[in-house]
Amino acid sequence: PQALRERARTSLAYRKRTQPLALPSAGCVFQNPGEDDRVPEGIPRSAGALVDRAGLKGYRVGGAQISPRHGNFIENAGGARAIDALALMAEARRRALEEFGVELVHEVRLVGDLELPPAGETL
């Protein structure tokens, strides 16, 4: 039990250091690229790293923004609407495909009539 508690503490401390926890978010938005995806050399096999290297950290649409702290989080910076978050997701997918040849796949579940355009397009 003590080892498990220590592991949980370590994991929580890591998340507090690396993830944006101050603003509401849906957590990680995109899946990390799979083994079959060719990620350019020098970029970690990480959706957040791809979004970061595309220069989108802090990019904002309406009340939603790609977290300045972690590129795979979309934060509600105040008054965000679903369409704002979808526009950010579409832009991130477009840029990752255009700049790195990697098609990001969303990890969040879209409900209702919400839909993302194909990876190369924006809203």
Side-chain angles (χ1 to χ4, degrees):
Q2 182 59 30
L4 290 175
R5 276 194 280 281
E6 184 54 36
R7 186 172 177 186
R9 279 190 205 100
T10 301
S11 177
L12 181 59
Y14 175 77
R15 282 185 298 213
K16 285 182 177 181
R17 277 193 321 275
T18 61
Q19 296 178 1
L21 302 176
L23 294 174
S25 79
C28 287
V29 176
F30 298 108
Q31 296 174 15
N32 287 329
E35 291 300 318
D36 294 335
D37 292 311
R38 290 191 305 197
V39 176
E41 193 165 326
I43 298 179
R45 188 169 292 282
S46 155
L50 291 165
V51 173
D52 179 17
R53 301 282 168 85
L56 291 171
K57 277 185 170 180
Y59 187 78
R60 188 172 178 151
V61 173
Q65 72 177 0
I66 295 177
S67 172
R69 188 170 198 177
H70 192 302
N72 201 14
F73 281 72
I74 294 177
E75 301 172 331
N76 183 345
R81 299 176 310 142
I83 195 72
D84 301 336
L86 286 175
L88 288 174
M89 291 171 69
E91 182 62 13
R93 291 179 78 217
R94 185 187 71 75
R95 296 273 285 275
L97 184 61
E98 184 178 284
E99 295 183 26
F100 309 114
V102 177
E103 186 171 339
L104 293 176
V105 176
H106 63 87
E107 189 166 51
V108 294
R109 297 194 68 152
L110 304 178
V111 295
D113 60 355
L114 300 176
E115 191 175 309
L116 279 174
E121 299 177 20
T122 59
L123 285 180

